[in-house]
Amino acid sequence: MITLYGRANSINVIKALWTFDELDIPYERVDAGMAFGVVDTPEYRALNPNGRIPSLRHGKVELWESNTICRYLCLLAGGDARGLYPAEPGRRASVDRWLDWQLSTLSPAERNLFWGMVRTPEEKRDMAQIRKAVEDSAVCWAILDKRLATGRRFIEGDHFTLADLVLGSFARRWFGEEVRVPDMPRFPALEDWYARLGERPGFQRWVAPRLH
């Protein structure tokens, strides 16, 4: 049995949970992080010296970093992982670049929008910082909107891949009512794509619930 450690309202845990659902891979989850603690125990630090979530244990395999965990699950599924992770090198690399882009570019841009609007009491919000995060996030989402506006149903064409799953999880932090700020830019192609993701059971189960 695969064990995943992490609380279900963490976006990085959500990516893994959605991947489990898409691939019908059985697992068990142990709550960890924030109110649940666990991450500072010696046992957990032996699994993940960063003290962050998620972490995964599967027999002798011990992993951290959410996108790595998602890739590992796809590799366990074999082949192209039901289309999530194409086997052809060029197509797989194209998916991988979006996962790397999420880490290097999108996450830093949107972080203060989520933390400012969701995790900070209204009276303590730094609205200048939040609006800057809106601007920075919009630059990122404009890149994806332009790609989708070419007629693609999904990021890599007509088929849902790990790129859609990972970026769709973060799009919840752009489209969600909990993070809406007046005069946020509109991205029509991105909105249509996000609506398509919303039809998937894994999205409905893990991504759609209220941000907190």
Side-chain angles (χ1 to χ4, degrees):
M1 178 65 70
I2 300 174
T3 302
L4 183 74
Y5 297 84
R7 51 190 166 79
N9 69 330
S10 159
I11 190 166
N12 289 321
V13 176
I14 284 169
K15 289 185 287 185
L17 293 171
W18 189 0
T19 305
F20 275 115
D21 275 20
E22 290 286 342
L23 298 173
D24 291 325
I25 295 176
Y27 66 97
E28 60 181 7
R29 183 176 63 83
V30 176
D31 277 319
M34 293 186 74
F36 298 103
V38 176
V39 296
D40 289 325
T41 63
E43 295 79 11
Y44 189 84
R45 288 298 178 112
L47 172 63
N48 183 344
N50 303 288
R52 303 181 70 178
I53 55 173
S55 296
L56 177 146
R57 177 176 282 122
H58 182 206
K60 294 182 179 180
V61 176
E62 297 180 345
L63 296 173
W64 31 271
E65 288 296 333
S66 57
N67 288 348
T68 295
I69 290 171
C70 292
R71 291 182 178 106
Y72 176 70
L73 297 177
C74 288
L75 294 172
L76 282 182
D80 69 353
R82 300 187 179 183
L84 280 189
Y85 204 40
E88 193 277 318
R91 294 180 60 214
R92 178 168 291 187
S94 192
V95 168
D96 278 334
R97 66 171 166 177
W98 291 106
L99 273 60
D100 293 341
W101 181 77
Q102 175 258 300
L103 289 171
S104 67
T105 305
L106 178 61
S107 291
E110 68 81 38
R111 178 176 175 82
N112 287 333
L113 173 58
F114 170 76
W115 278 89
M117 294 298 292
V118 176
R119 297 272 170 88
T120 303
E122 184 174 359
E123 68 275 9
K124 295 183 179 180
R125 290 174 183 163
D126 182 340
M127 290 310 299
Q129 185 182 67
I130 290 170
R131 291 189 180 280
K132 179 63 166 59
V134 170
E135 293 175 6
D136 293 344
S137 298
V139 171
C140 297
W141 292 122
I143 292 171
L144 190 54
D145 182 72
K146 183 177 180 180
R147 181 173 179 82
L148 293 164
T150 61
R152 297 168 179 268
R153 284 181 50 78
F154 297 104
I155 295 174
E156 288 301 310
D158 291 333
H159 300 288
F160 177 85
T161 71
L162 203 53
D164 299 286
L165 185 154
V166 168
L167 296 185
S169 299
F170 277 84
R172 175 70 175 84
R173 296 182 170 203
W174 176 261
F175 288 111
E177 61 179 13
E178 307 92 333
V179 295
R180 298 308 290 174
V181 175
D183 301 320
M184 289 175 74
R186 291 284 306 276
F187 299 112
L190 192 74
E191 291 174 11
D192 291 345
W193 165 78
Y194 186 69
R196 285 190 287 276
L197 300 186
E199 298 171 358
R200 305 186 77 87
F203 180 101
Q204 296 165 11
R205 183 180 183 188
W206 300 115
V207 184
R210 185 166 182 83
L211 300 174
H212 63 282

